[in-house]
Amino acid sequence: MLYDQNPDPKQDENSSSGDSFSFLKETIKPKPVSREKIFMQLLRMAIYGVIIGMFACCSFFALKPWAEETFREDPQKVTIPEDAEDGAAAEADEQAAQEDAKAPVLDVASYQAMMESLSATAEKAGKGVVSVHAGSADGSDDWMGTGSSDPGVTGIIAADNGQELLILADNSVCKDVDTWEIVLADGSRCAAALKVQDQNRKLAVFSIVRSIVPEETWGKIQVADLGNSNIIGKGDPVIALGNLFGYDNGLGYGVVSSTALSTTFSDGDCRVISTDIPLEADGSGILLNQDGAVIGIVRQGIGPETEEGGISVTTNALAISDMKSTMELLLNGEKVPYAGIYGVTVTAAAAQEQGLPEGLYITAVDADSPAMAAGIQNGDVIREVDGKPISGFAAYEKAMLECQPGKEIGITGQRRGAAGYVDIQFTLTVGSWE
């Protein structure tokens, strides 16, 4: 390599005008890339991609529970629409009777087709039926293999609020336990938590976090369809599902034998749908109409009394339409208002005949209840609750369900005195019986 020793620019000019030196110019060419080298580079990039992908997957699964818990939306409010009243139910019955009159005469083939149809309806509706067990449902307590482990109680998937599946069941499974397991329609088992219960009506709502439900299970379960028990009448065909005969997944067919009975609890009552379907002494289940909609919650001890004074062991259910207001409160995690009052409606005819004021006649008051603390007694007649007029037991129950537990409300009534009934005011702090 040559170096210029003369920095004088004039000399540079003379040099350029005179003799010129020839310099070798070297061009550096890249080394040819072989196929092996290209393959190794691609292989290296693929390995890096796999490592990054595995790290991303592990990070996703590790952070998923935290992300779901931190960024999840508020649960959706559960709303249960009201059913048609008895007037509309009568019109529906009349229309159904007219359609039945035009129906062809049934033969053996028709009967077989009808039973197949009912079986298909029961199978579809069964996707919304579950079994609730205290502790484990795997039969681990049945070490002798006798099949005598706790069969649990039957429940329904009553709602899905976007975060949880909400299970409605009898609260008898809540006694002296703090862990529960729910067996879904496909046999999968999920841990559940008690969301809220109402000791008065003996109902409980359990929750299953949606994220723990197996992916393959979602296509095999559904939220139960709630029907209208107001339009059910004597002789209507019904389907019973659940632990009816001492084991899970029992199925029974029958007809409604009566809808004239009712059962009473504090601050309300409920109609009873009586059927001819047999029931084990500790059985539980769900009553469906022929469309597969839930019309009743099977409960022990609400049927007609036998001659020996016991309760007939047939499938009798609480009418679902009479329980929907309470169910909506429970499914939204709210406490059910409680005062502790039993009573009967004083109609206009009874008021004129017995000399009583119209309203709700108190027949009993629970001990240590909010009503007793407020000074309400047997024989009082309630005329108004929290500003709402009370014409009878149904109006009283509706007014109470609209109150907030812990709130003070005014109750206007009348009490018999020496000169007849006189007005009396009560201040009641609404409670809840959990």
Side-chain angles (χ1 to χ4, degrees), residues 353-412:
E353 181 180 348
Q354 301 293 331
L356 299 172
E358 294 184 35
L360 175 65
Y361 182 87
I362 307 301
T363 59
V365 177
D366 284 338
D368 301 322
S369 65
M372 178 171 285
I376 299 175
Q377 302 176 5
N378 297 357
D380 292 343
V381 178
I382 294 178
R383 305 291 304 277
E384 191 175 284
V385 171
D386 199 25
K388 302 178 180 66
I390 302 302
S391 58
F393 208 2
Y396 166 76
E397 181 179 9
K398 182 178 180 180
M400 281 301 305
L401 288 175
E402 294 175 355
C403 296
Q404 292 292 329
K407 175 186 175 183
E408 284 191 352
I409 61 173
I411 295 181
T412 300

Side-chain angles (χ1 to χ4, degrees), residues 56-67:
C57 290
C58 293
S59 300
F60 172 78
F61 284 107
L63 295 175
K64 182 180 178 183
W66 172 83

Side-chain angles (χ1 to χ4, degrees), residues 46-77:
I47 293 174
Y48 290 159
V50 171
I51 294 174
I52 294 173
M54 292 177 61
F55 179 77
C57 290
C58 293
S59 300
F60 172 78
F61 284 107
L63 295 175
K64 182 180 178 183
W66 172 83
E68 289 179 345
E69 180 67 24
T70 304
F71 300 106
R72 66 178 181 177
E73 299 178 354
D74 293 334
Q76 302 170 5
K77 181 178 176 61

Side-chain angles (χ1 to χ4, degrees), residues 134-380:
S136 174
D138 59 4
S140 57
D141 295 334
D142 184 25
W143 60 274
M144 294 184 65
T146 61
S148 60
S149 59
D150 178 20
V153 298
T154 303
I156 58 172
I157 304 176
D160 180 351
N161 66 8
Q163 293 185 5
E164 308 158 309
L165 290 180
L166 301 175
I167 310 300
L168 180 76
D170 193 281
N171 78 333
S172 59
V173 75
C174 299
K175 187 176 181 181
D176 299 329
V177 294
D178 54 9
T179 59
W180 295 268
E181 189 175 53
I182 292 179
V183 181
L184 300 174
D186 68 336
S188 59
R189 296 180 171 89
C190 296
L194 176 64
K195 195 174 185 72
V196 66
Q197 66 173 315
D198 178 21
Q199 295 272 18
N200 185 22
R201 294 167 178 83
K202 303 186 185 306
L203 295 174
V205 169
F206 301 88
S207 63
I208 301 175
V209 179
R210 294 180 97 258
S211 60
I212 71 171
V213 178
E215 191 67 29
E216 62 273 12
T217 296
W218 286 105
K220 302 173 184 177
I221 62 175
Q222 66 181 19
V223 175
D225 181 21
L226 302 182
N228 184 356
S229 59
N230 291 331
I231 62 176
I232 296 298
K234 186 176 180 179
D236 287 346
V238 287
I239 304 168
L241 295 178
N243 179 22
L244 305 164
F245 314 115
Y247 49 83
D248 288 342
N249 300 320
L251 168 63
Y253 301 117
V255 296
V256 175
S257 58
S258 175
T259 58
L261 301 176
S262 65
T263 185
T264 302
F265 36 78
S266 297
D267 308 314
D269 62 3
C270 183
R271 283 170 289 182
V272 173
I273 302 175
S274 301
T275 76
D276 62 348
I277 303 173
L279 182 72
E280 282 291 319
D282 295 326
S284 63
I286 305 299
L287 198 64
L288 311 171
N289 61 19
Q290 56 188 335
D291 295 323
V294 178
I295 57 171
I297 301 172
V298 176
R299 175 166 295 173
Q300 297 287 336
I302 60 174
E305 292 187 2
T306 63
E307 294 181 359
E308 292 77 15
I311 301 296
S312 62
V313 187
T314 55
T315 298
N316 302 294
L318 300 173
I320 199 72
S321 294
D322 293 352
M323 306 294 289
K324 286 185 176 179
S325 296
T326 300
M327 288 171 54
E328 186 169 304
L329 291 173
L330 293 173
L331 292 172
N332 286 293
E334 300 178 20
K335 299 176 181 179
V336 179
Y338 167 71
I341 290 174
Y342 296 82
V344 295
T345 300
V346 181
T347 62
Q352 184 176 3
E353 181 180 348
Q354 301 293 331
L356 299 172
E358 294 184 35
L360 175 65
Y361 182 87
I362 307 301
T363 59
V365 177
D366 284 338
D368 301 322
S369 65
M372 178 171 285
I376 299 175
Q377 302 176 5
N378 297 357
D380 292 343

